[in-house]
Amino acid sequence: MVRVQKQAMTPARLVRPLVILCAMFFLFYNAMHGDRGLYAWFRERQELRQLNEQLAQTKERREHIELKVSHLRDGSLDLDLLDEQMRRMLGVMKKGEVVVLPDGGNTAFTYQH
């Protein structure tokens, strides 16, 4: 016949599983919430997506400005663009002329003398 002895629960016997459990909890917590954890990875991806959108908008705005500047250079001076810029910045117009600026403000100036 086989005898089964029940071993007494001593504090020394509980230390090893408790240490392993604490180590597993520490590693899991840091894998989720740490500086290089899963949540930080999602935040970084979201920030990268937003920065890429800002970069695309900035590039588009820069290309638009570069195009305007290239039209104002000596070799390729666009007289219509120069005239539009002059009217916009200085408010210059001829007598009896109506100027409508296309900037969504629907602003119209009339010079009457």
Side-chain angles (χ1 to χ4, degrees):
M1 184 173 196
V2 177
R3 278 189 175 185
V4 178
Q5 286 183 342
K6 189 172 184 180
Q7 296 180 352
M9 293 298 277
T10 61
R13 201 161 171 223
L14 293 176
V15 169
R16 180 186 243 171
L18 187 60
V19 168
I20 291 173
L21 185 65
C22 288
M24 287 176 52
F25 175 76
F26 174 78
L27 292 174
F28 178 76
Y29 180 82
N30 282 316
M32 297 303 283
H33 298 283
D35 290 342
R36 294 188 177 116
L38 194 59
Y39 294 129
W41 183 70
F42 284 126
R43 278 193 310 269
E44 293 292 327
R45 285 186 49 96
Q46 179 67 23
E47 186 178 345
L48 178 64
R49 194 173 306 122
Q50 290 173 351
L51 289 174
N52 281 331
E53 289 173 7
Q54 289 177 359
L55 177 64
Q57 291 172 354
T58 303
K59 280 183 179 180
E60 182 180 323
R61 199 171 77 220
R62 179 181 178 199
E63 289 172 0
H64 178 71
I65 291 171
E66 283 180 352
L67 180 64
K68 284 178 110 175
V69 168
S70 72
H71 288 253
L72 294 174
R73 290 206 171 101
D74 287 340
S76 64
L77 188 61
D78 186 358
L79 296 178
D80 289 333
L81 182 62
L82 182 62
D83 186 51
E84 178 187 335
Q85 290 295 327
M86 179 188 67
R87 290 171 190 274
R88 182 182 313 246
M89 294 174 77
L90 301 176
V92 176
M93 60 185 80
K94 296 177 186 171
K95 187 175 184 178
E97 184 176 46
V98 175
V99 177
V100 178
L101 300 175
D103 262 345
N106 296 330
T107 308
F109 299 102
T110 305
Y111 179 79
Q112 300 193 0
H113 202 294

